Amino acid sequence: MPADGTPPPQEMPAPDGPLSRARPGRERILAAIRAAAITEFSLHGLKGTSTQAIAQRAGLTKPQLHYYIAGKEELYSELLMQVLHEWKVVFSFDEHANDPARVLAAYVRQKLDHAFDKPEMSRIFTREVLDGGRNLERFWPMSRQWTQKKIDIIDGWIARGLMRPLDGRLLLQHIWAMTQYHADYALQVRSMGGLPEDAHIDREPIARELIGFVLAGCGMAVPADA
C-alpha cells in the first residue's frame, strides 16, 4: 500500500459481459447488438440511448434484446471497459527499449490507427468524459497507474540523454489529443479538407506529419522505417 494509505490501483480486467461471453449460435445476434450499441452510445451517450433504439438498430424487438442483455447500463459498462482495456494492452511502451524515437513513432501510429479504425469506440469514451465521467470514476486510478508507467519510461530516456528534457505527462496528453482528434472530429477533418462526409481519408500523410512533429519536439530525428 502506498505511503499515503490509499489502496493500490487494481489491474484492468478484460471486458466481461454478454458480448464477451458469447456461445456458439449466439455470436451473430450478439455481434449485431454490439454494433448497434456502439453506434447509439457514440452518438447519444448513455443517457440519450434507449434499449428500444439499440434493438431497432440491431433488427430485434425490445423483448428479444432483453433476452440477451439485462439493460443498457450493463452493455455500456462492458463497451467502456473494452475501450480502456484496448488502450492499455495495445498502447504500451517497451520498458527496455533503447530507441525512444521508434517507440514513440510506433505509439503515435498505433493511436492514429485506432482513431481511424474504431472512431465510434473513441467517441464513446469522449462523450462519457463530456457527460461528466461518472462511469469512469472507478477506472481513473488504473489509468493514472498505466500513464505513470509511461512517464517513468520517458523520464528514464531523458535521464540517459536519449531525448531532450520535457514533461512526459504533457507529451502523452498531446499525442492523445492529436490522434483522437481524427476520430472525435472526423466531420471537421473532412470539412476542412473540402471532402464529402463519407470520403476516405488517407492516414499515411497524417501519420508522417504527426510523428515528425512529436519527435522534433522531443529533440529526435524520425527513424527511416517509422
Side-chain angles (χ1 to χ4, degrees), residues 78-149:
E78 183 179 350
L79 291 174
L80 194 59
M81 182 175 286
Q82 182 178 333
V83 175
L84 296 169
H85 189 263
E86 285 182 358
W87 286 350
K88 173 184 182 291
V89 173
V90 177
F91 309 130
S92 59
F93 284 2
D94 180 355
E95 293 188 45
H96 306 291
N98 293 314
D99 194 341
R102 280 191 169 79
V103 174
L104 290 174
Y107 185 69
V108 170
R109 189 174 289 277
Q110 288 171 332
K111 285 288 283 106
L112 189 66
D113 284 343
H114 191 275
F116 272 99
D117 295 336
K118 299 184 178 181
E120 291 181 320
M121 295 298 283
S122 178
R123 290 179 202 135
I124 288 175
F125 176 84
T126 299
R127 189 169 293 278
E128 171 62 28
V129 171
L130 294 175
D131 287 343
R134 181 180 61 83
N135 296 287
L136 287 168
E137 290 176 359
R138 65 192 176 104
F139 300 130
W140 289 134
M142 290 176 281
S143 295
R144 285 193 293 269
Q145 184 186 53
W146 307 334
T147 301
Q148 187 60 52
K149 287 182 179 179

